[in-house]
Amino acid sequence: MNQFILRIKGLFGIFRSNSFAWGKPRRAQIVIYPQGKSSDILLRYLDPAEVVVIDPWSTKLNVPALILTLMRGGRKRFDYLQATIALIKPKFVITTTDNDMLFYRLKESLPNSITIAIQNGLRGNYSSIPNGGFFDEVQRRPQLCADYIVAFGTEIAKVYEQHIDAKVFVGGSLRNNAFISDSSIKPSNKSIIYVSQLPSAPALPNDVIAYLQDQPITYSEFYAAEKIVVDILHNYCIANNLEFTICGKQSSQCEIEQEFFGEVATSGRNSPLDSYSTLDAAHIVVTLDSTLGYEFHARGKRVLFIGGRFMHHQNESVRHMASVTFGFPAKLPQEGPYWLSDLSEGKIIERLNFLSQATDSEVRALNNEFKDRFMTFDPDNVRLIQFFSSIGMPVRVLP
């Protein structure tokens, strides 16, 4: 009895629950987690009657799953996740967070279910905790496994295949594929849009927000490059009579981005696909190391990649971090016709001039040199849905 009480106390200490759901999760063929992270896009393509979306990391707890967790002797979030899935008894378990290392432990307890991880962002080697980088994690953790991983491109697929026991399907970005361009809107040839990656949470300049191995990276060190690049772009657009906008990462109600970038106009992301609509109307997209940059590169857009995010960090290994350079994990030259590895104003302007003057066919030919390597493009996720259907998943519409 005392052990049972201790487990309850331990569980509540970890979960810090704010609310409870009392009903048992309904049975379904497919479980998707977590809520968000493109789970909304998946629901467009799957039979809704056969899908349950769960959020095991939220503060709202399902009481039957909590009781089963305790009965099994569990005390951790992972135990709660396993208990929740056990109540649903799915044939397929999908996560849209491919860098969740816990997911690759699920298969052992789910021998009769098919587990699928879907990549939802670029994978670098910095993290919010010391020595927690994705590439370090997959190399030092043995016996990671899943049935399938849906990867952005062939380069990251090689990493998955090398370190995780899974079959890899190269499907591109679920969200990018789901966005259909409005063919009636023609991009202005006088517009440049920069992709902001500022977080919604405010921080002081010296607050440590990330690490490369054990090297701390402060807020100012992480985001200083964004302001430097925006100032260069702003001056370039004024000098050349061009329109300049920042594609905001946060909603228009969030004032952090506007305050950070100053007088430059910043668009808000008020719905999941707003950023895609904004960038679709650009003549040139400029990014440091955003997923959106690679998504629009895959669409054939003129994209300038600037790989110098940490050029002002005091530590040399952070300054030259490979995972924020163009095309990583592929090993490419540090500079190319539309990419560079530092914050040189002269080099940025040189590439902007090239992208402004290049013909559409020249841009397509350059982009096609890396076709499918960093990001494949599968409009409306047609090939992905065919793949789902081929493994027996109940899809809503088979293209």
Side-chain angles (χ1 to χ4, degrees), residues 307-321:
R309 177 176 288 282
F310 300 117
M311 289 305 295
H312 293 287
H313 196 279
Q314 58 184 346
N315 181 270
E316 184 177 1
S317 62
V318 177
R319 285 199 303 274
H320 299 290
M321 189 188 305

Side-chain angles (χ1 to χ4, degrees), residues 53-66:
V53 179
I54 62 173
D55 196 353
W57 318 129
S58 77
T59 57
K60 185 173 184 177
L61 294 178
N62 180 269
V63 172
L66 181 62

Side-chain angles (χ1 to χ4, degrees), residues 24-310:
K24 186 178 179 181
R26 70 177 174 87
R27 296 278 295 273
Q29 285 198 56
I30 305 169
V31 165
I32 301 172
Y33 83 90
Q35 199 164 25
K37 300 286 186 182
S38 295
S39 63
D40 57 319
I41 301 296
L42 273 177
L43 293 175
R44 295 184 181 187
Y45 305 112
L46 302 174
D47 182 349
E50 295 296 342
V51 179
V52 171
V53 179
I54 62 173
D55 196 353
W57 318 129
S58 77
T59 57
K60 185 173 184 177
L61 294 178
N62 180 269
V63 172
L66 181 62
I67 292 171
L68 182 57
T69 303
L70 293 169
M71 291 174 62
R72 290 175 162 189
R75 294 180 60 179
K76 298 181 179 179
R77 277 283 185 183
F78 182 66
D79 302 318
Y80 173 73
L81 169 62
Q82 288 180 302
T84 305
I85 294 172
L87 291 174
I88 300 170
K89 301 186 186 310
K91 183 178 178 182
F92 302 92
V93 179
I94 303 174
T95 184
T96 50
T97 311
D98 61 298
N99 57 339
D100 175 13
M101 294 297 115
L102 290 177
F103 177 78
Y104 302 105
R105 290 172 48 199
L106 272 178
K107 183 60 185 176
E108 185 178 356
S109 61
L110 296 171
N112 298 320
S113 297
I114 295 174
T115 59
I116 305 170
I118 298 179
Q119 186 176 0
N120 75 324
L122 295 181
R123 294 293 152 242
N125 208 33
Y126 56 81
S127 65
S128 59
I129 59 174
N131 301 302
F134 176 77
F135 293 91
D136 289 339
E137 288 269 22
V138 296
Q139 289 180 48
R140 69 169 171 258
R141 288 177 180 260
Q143 299 176 329
L144 298 177
C145 65
D147 287 289
Y148 299 98
I149 299 175
V150 179
F152 279 172
T154 58
E155 292 294 336
I156 189 65
K158 294 174 188 176
V159 176
Y160 290 131
E161 289 170 338
Q162 183 178 358
H163 298 291
I164 301 174
D165 182 11
K167 295 178 182 177
V168 181
F169 177 87
V170 177
S173 162
L174 194 68
R175 193 169 291 278
N176 182 47
N177 294 338
F179 174 75
I180 307 300
S181 297
D182 187 341
S183 58
S184 66
I185 299 176
K186 300 299 180 184
S188 166
N189 61 4
K190 296 179 69 65
S191 66
I192 294 176
I193 299 182
Y194 174 75
V195 182
S196 166
Q197 291 174 257
L198 282 186
S200 59
L204 296 174
N206 293 325
D207 286 351
V208 174
I209 63 168
Y211 293 85
L212 175 65
Q213 278 89 47
D214 59 354
Q215 288 295 324
I217 304 170
T218 66
Y219 183 89
S220 61
E221 290 167 338
F222 202 103
Y223 295 107
E226 305 231 7
K227 187 67 168 66
I228 292 169
V229 170
V230 163
D231 287 345
I232 293 171
L233 296 175
H234 189 205
N235 292 333
Y236 177 86
C237 288
I238 291 173
N240 291 277
N241 194 29
L242 301 174
E243 302 168 8
F244 180 48
T245 308
I246 295 170
C247 177
K249 186 176 182 180
Q250 310 305 328
S251 77
S252 55
Q253 305 301 315
C254 181
E255 299 178 354
I256 293 174
E257 282 181 312
Q258 194 64 65
E259 292 172 356
F260 183 88
F261 291 116
E263 62 186 77
V264 182
T266 302
S267 68
R269 186 178 70 172
N270 300 313
S271 71
L273 295 177
D274 276 356
S275 297
Y276 295 88
S277 299
T278 299
L279 295 179
D280 200 40
H283 184 54
I284 298 174
V285 173
V286 181
T287 181
L288 284 170
D289 44 34
S290 70
T291 300
L292 278 165
Y294 288 91
E295 289 172 329
F296 276 83
H297 179 269
R299 286 173 168 269
K301 181 73 79 172
R302 300 161 194 256
V303 184
L304 171 57
F305 295 88
I306 302 172
R309 177 176 288 282
F310 300 117

Side-chain angles (χ1 to χ4, degrees), residues 371-384:
K371 185 176 177 62
D372 296 333
R373 288 182 66 184
F374 318 134
M375 180 78 67
T376 195
F377 182 45
D378 175 23
D380 210 18
N381 289 295
V382 170
R383 288 189 293 109
L384 179 64

Side-chain angles (χ1 to χ4, degrees), residues 365-397:
L366 285 169
N367 286 5
N368 283 339
E369 288 182 14
F370 300 110
K371 185 176 177 62
D372 296 333
R373 288 182 66 184
F374 318 134
M375 180 78 67
T376 195
F377 182 45
D378 175 23
D380 210 18
N381 289 295
V382 170
R383 288 189 293 109
L384 179 64
I385 304 313
Q386 290 173 337
F387 162 68
F388 282 165
S389 179
S390 74
I391 61 175
M393 195 177 296
V395 298
R396 187 192 295 254
V397 177

Side-chain angles (χ1 to χ4, degrees), residues 11-32:
L11 202 60
F12 276 86
I14 293 170
F15 289 176
R16 304 183 191 283
S17 177
N18 292 329
S19 59
F20 298 93
W22 297 92
K24 186 178 179 181
R26 70 177 174 87
R27 296 278 295 273
Q29 285 198 56
I30 305 169
V31 165
I32 301 172

